[in-house]
């Protein structure tokens, strides 16, 4: 078997050297999208909600009873993350990572009633949520539900389509958060 050798010589006035063809690039590995960068104001408001204690919202803890005094539901909407906060005192807020929101729902009876109803419902569903120590925002297309209790934080993350279904066990908590959003929308500014 004879080998054929090819010698490349540069053309007159040329300085380019011939190089073998480059190997094809390996296929890019699937890298999940990085979590969204949240504005400092949104993160600060979110942190205030998670660090609220029962006495901060005029709730008297009952000795020996795990009592829900706050509910935080987070979901993706309108190109950002919405955080709906409700306390047993009737205080309620909505924070939006892409700007805006509402604070002080206690002044509006319909908002305050919706907040108290959500907390009461969460007390019934307390054992449906495991105890947690961290509270990350939801992944894309997911909803997080957190319960602030006198015994610590409880929470769960669910697919947004699943929790929005009427037959989902946690749908009433998600629907209750949506009720607060609606109540704020109808409240005078």
């Amino acid at each position: 078997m004879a080998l054929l050798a090819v010698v490349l010589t540069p053309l007159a006035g040329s300085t380019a050297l011939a190089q073998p063809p480059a190997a094809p690039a390996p296929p890019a590995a699937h890298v999940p999208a990085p979590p969204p960068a949240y504005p400092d104001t949104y993160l600060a408001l979110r942190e205030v909600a998670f660090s609220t204690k029962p006495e901060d919202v005029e709730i008297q803890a009952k000795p020996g009873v795990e009592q829900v005094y706050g509910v935080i539901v987070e979901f993706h909407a309108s190109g950002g993350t919405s955080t709906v906060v409700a306390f047993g005192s009737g205080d309620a807020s909505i924070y939006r990572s892409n700007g805006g929101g509402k604070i002080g729902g206690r002044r509006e009876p319909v908002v305050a009633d919706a907040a108290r109803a959500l907390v009461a419902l969460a007390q019934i569903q307390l054992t449906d949520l495991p105890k947690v120590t961290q509270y990350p925002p939801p992944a894309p297309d997911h909803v997080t539900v957190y319960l602030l209790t006198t015994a610590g934080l409880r929470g769960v993350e669910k697919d947004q389509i699943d929790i929005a279904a009427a037959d989902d066990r946690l749908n009433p908590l998600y629907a209750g958060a949506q009720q607060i959003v609606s109540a704020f929308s109808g409240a005078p500014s």
Side-chain angles (χ1 to χ4, degrees):
M1 172 188 265
L3 291 175
L4 178 62
V6 176
V7 176
L8 296 174
T9 57
L11 298 174
S14 171
T15 58
L17 298 176
Q19 295 184 3
H30 173 69
V31 177
Y38 292 109
D40 290 343
T41 303
Y42 170 76
L43 293 175
L45 289 169
R46 188 176 181 272
E47 187 60 34
V48 166
F50 278 102
S51 61
T52 300
K53 304 292 180 221
E55 56 274 11
D56 297 337
V57 288
E58 303 167 13
I59 300 297
Q60 294 291 326
K62 298 172 186 164
V65 176
E66 184 175 8
Q67 182 180 351
V68 177
Y69 63 90
V71 178
I72 300 171
V73 179
E74 299 183 297
F75 52 90
H76 296 280
S78 303
T81 302
S82 291
T83 299
V84 178
V85 181
F87 293 104
S89 61
D91 289 300
S93 298
I94 303 171
Y95 315 132
R96 293 194 170 92
S97 66
N98 57 358
K102 299 273 189 166
I103 296 175
R106 188 176 186 176
R107 296 182 305 234
E108 300 300 329
V110 67
V111 175
D113 289 347
R116 283 190 284 273
L118 179 56
V119 172
L121 184 59
Q123 184 68 44
I124 295 167
Q125 293 193 253
L126 177 68
T127 58
D128 291 337
L129 284 79
K131 291 185 177 185
V132 296
T133 56
Q134 297 179 339
Y135 42 92
D141 301 319
H142 282 76
V143 174
T144 52
V145 178
Y146 295 105
L147 306 182
L148 301 173
T149 81
T150 53
L153 185 65
R154 290 180 175 264
V156 69
E157 180 172 292
K158 295 201 70 170
D159 182 278
Q160 195 160 4
I161 291 173
D162 292 344
I163 199 170
D167 63 345
D168 187 273
R169 177 88 177 125
L170 296 178
N171 171 270
L173 297 175
Y174 178 66
Q178 297 298 325
Q179 180 63 37
I180 291 171
V181 172
S182 295
F184 264 120
S185 296
S189 297

